[in-house]
Amino acid sequence: MSQTEAVVAQFHELQDGQKRQVTVGDTDILLIRRDETIYAIGAYCTHNRAPLEQGVLHGDCIVCPWHNAYFDITTGDLHQPPGLDSLDRYPVRIDGDDIIVTVPESASGHRVPDMAQFDPERDNRTFVILGAGAAGTHAAETLRVAGYQGRIVMITREDKLPYDRTTLSKNYFTGKLKADQILMRSADFYQQHNIELRLNCVVTNVDIKTKTIVLATNETLTYNSLLIATGTQPRHLAVPGAAFPNIFTLRSFNDSDRILAAAAHARQAVVIGSSFIGMEVAAGLTQRGIKVTVVSPDSLPFEQILGTQIGELFYKVHAENGVTFKMGRKVTQIEGESTAQTVILNNGDRLAADLVVVGIGVQPVTDFITGIELNPQDRSIPVDEYLCAAENVYAAGDIARFPDWRTAASMRVEHWRIAAQHGRIAAFNMAGQPTAFRGVPVFWSMQYQFPIRYVGHATEWDEVIIDGSLDDRQFIAFYIKDNRVLAAASSKRDTETAAIAELLRIDKMPAANKLRQGQFDRIYPGLLGDLAIPAEA
């Protein structure tokens, strides 16, 4: 294999903890100095190619500035999702003051993690994963990373290979990504690593006591260990006329395709609900030239999650792009002939619509389970800190109700990244490597040119401290309870937000009184230690 050796920088130019992106041939590389050692790894996160030079360094890990994947700088190994691949690591030598990096001609910047080979003679167990979303997909791969050599069966009711569901209302919906670009892995990958992926497969019953799974085809499977990661399903509108064929919910690949097909011939649409799915759909349809009206019983979008100030900001962003709001309103009926044509509200307003999208929440898909006592309020699966629901049974993602290690409160979080985190943790535990979940929830959204990132979890707060400017749409909002930061939302402050995620994880966020002074960008490096020096401007 041919390779290129190049001088990329001078040693004295890099401070301890400093990052610098350089290029050798066609390959972008991230240099990191730690003590007297220089490391060279792939320059971009393996999830969405975020520039890791803008990430946060803590100890031996670098945190992606966009969606907070973690990578080991000494090996390139992935430590936390949403990425699946690890980073390439390139040999480095120091000659005098020259930093010299060797790069193979075929370098891509990323690699599939090392995985154990399937060997049923050494391990005749069967591990079954129900669901092929973020939790299921990350679990299947992590089992192999953790050294498990037995049989893996991953079952999904969908007809597509596992894909990044977050794109369905974002870049795929707006046309920036094509269908094959949102697949998480190829069919060849699953075959190569002996992960049996069963598409179009519906589970009708799981009996925890007998360790038996029954499929809609009447086929029966038995398992040694089970991960339930079936996710949620959309709630449907319960009003007269709600069954017209041009009324949609958005959960799956096929849902998105159906909405886009209807949008191709539509001039006006009604979005029911001001959830993140609803508002992202509103943004996507608006950008396709469709006149959108959002109907919601809430007074502002996201007010219960992000507070009044940021809710007002989202309202303004959408209004600037032409969206009409009917807030504080409910739909009572939908009229039409063969399709929905008019949406009627509880104040008598009549809204013309060529298509309707309903985003009024979701509910866990758990009704097929016997032998586990489900949460009576939402039918979720209670688990412990190891995501264990019963002996050799684990639950992950949207359906899991797990203990918050920071507050001891029971919570359920419907975020893509935490589902991926759950999948990895559950897999390590299934593989016999006890690992407690101590992750920090993270989610993100992009509506028009307004990005929002959120780290932590807060259902109530005493105050919101704003660092930066809401008017300029560049800020961090800290959600405070009892002088403690529970969560933060931000826009265009990616590096600091990655730092907040890490500070929350290691429980070293500063108290509220210090944050009121502002300038968090100057505070966090000292909190993470000398190895958290930001990248060069």
Side-chain angles (χ1 to χ4, degrees), residues 298-309:
D298 299 329
S299 57
L300 290 167
F302 318 131
E303 184 174 22
Q304 294 183 0
I305 301 172
L306 301 176
T308 300
Q309 292 171 288

Side-chain angles (χ1 to χ4, degrees), residues 33-302:
R33 178 178 171 182
R34 188 184 189 285
D35 297 324
E36 298 302 308
T37 303
I38 301 292
Y39 298 98
I41 56 177
Y44 302 106
C45 178
T46 61
H47 176 229
N48 273 355
R49 289 186 57 79
L52 293 175
E53 186 181 26
Q54 298 174 18
V56 170
L57 187 64
H58 184 218
D60 286 340
C61 277
I62 189 163
V63 186
C64 169
W66 290 0
H67 307 135
N68 302 152
Y70 281 57
F71 300 94
D72 188 318
I73 65 170
T74 69
T75 63
D77 289 347
L78 174 75
H79 281 189
Q80 286 198 41
L84 284 167
D85 277 356
S86 294
L87 299 169
D88 280 341
R89 184 195 168 192
Y90 306 105
V92 178
R93 64 184 178 88
I94 308 298
D95 186 356
D97 200 37
D98 292 341
I99 301 173
I100 302 171
V101 177
T102 302
V103 180
E105 183 180 14
S106 60
S108 64
H110 60 91
R111 59 181 171 81
V112 174
D114 295 333
M115 296 188 182
Q117 295 297 312
F118 175 59
D119 189 344
E121 292 186 0
R122 298 187 64 179
D123 193 334
N124 62 5
R125 293 175 298 170
T126 297
F127 287 3
V128 176
I129 300 169
L130 302 184
T137 300
H138 281 266
E141 295 195 21
T142 304
L143 284 171
R144 292 286 185 237
V145 170
Y148 173 67
Q149 295 183 281
R151 183 186 181 197
I152 300 173
V153 182
M154 184 161 58
I155 296 173
T156 175
R157 64 173 58 230
E158 296 203 43
D159 60 358
K160 300 286 194 300
L161 292 171
Y163 55 87
D164 186 340
R165 195 181 303 277
T166 64
T167 65
L168 296 180
S169 55
K170 296 181 179 72
N171 287 345
Y172 181 69
F173 198 79
T174 57
K176 295 178 181 178
L177 291 176
K178 296 182 180 179
D180 60 348
Q181 293 177 295
I182 70 173
L183 297 179
M184 298 174 73
R185 294 293 194 191
S186 67
D188 288 344
F189 173 89
Y190 294 108
Q191 184 175 7
Q192 178 184 351
H193 296 284
N194 290 98
I195 298 170
E196 298 178 38
L197 180 59
R198 297 201 181 188
L199 306 178
N200 295 304
C201 197
V202 177
V203 174
T204 58
N205 182 256
V206 172
D207 190 320
I208 302 301
K209 292 182 179 179
T210 62
K211 296 186 176 182
T212 302
I213 300 168
V214 180
L215 307 181
T217 58
N218 290 325
E219 179 184 357
T220 299
L221 295 173
T222 57
Y223 61 83
N224 297 98
S225 190
L226 172 68
L227 173 62
I228 305 172
T230 43
T232 55
Q233 60 187 5
R235 297 184 184 277
H236 293 277
L237 199 62
V239 300
F244 283 117
N246 60 334
I247 299 176
F248 306 97
T249 56
L250 177 52
R251 177 67 182 175
S252 70
F253 212 132
N254 292 335
D255 291 338
S256 190
D257 282 346
R258 284 192 287 266
I259 295 171
L260 292 175
H265 308 287
R267 292 188 302 171
Q268 46 199 355
V270 173
V271 173
I272 302 172
S274 55
S275 64
F276 274 96
I277 290 291
M279 299 308 295
E280 288 176 354
V281 167
L285 292 176
T286 299
Q287 291 173 86
R288 289 177 176 271
I290 296 172
K291 177 63 178 176
V292 175
T293 301
V294 173
V295 179
S296 173
D298 299 329
S299 57
L300 290 167
F302 318 131

Side-chain angles (χ1 to χ4, degrees), residues 413-434:
V413 178
E414 297 166 1
H415 301 333
W416 174 260
R417 182 179 178 273
I418 207 165
Q421 290 174 291
H422 277 182
R424 283 179 61 85
I425 296 298
F428 283 123
N429 288 309
M430 294 168 75
Q433 300 178 21

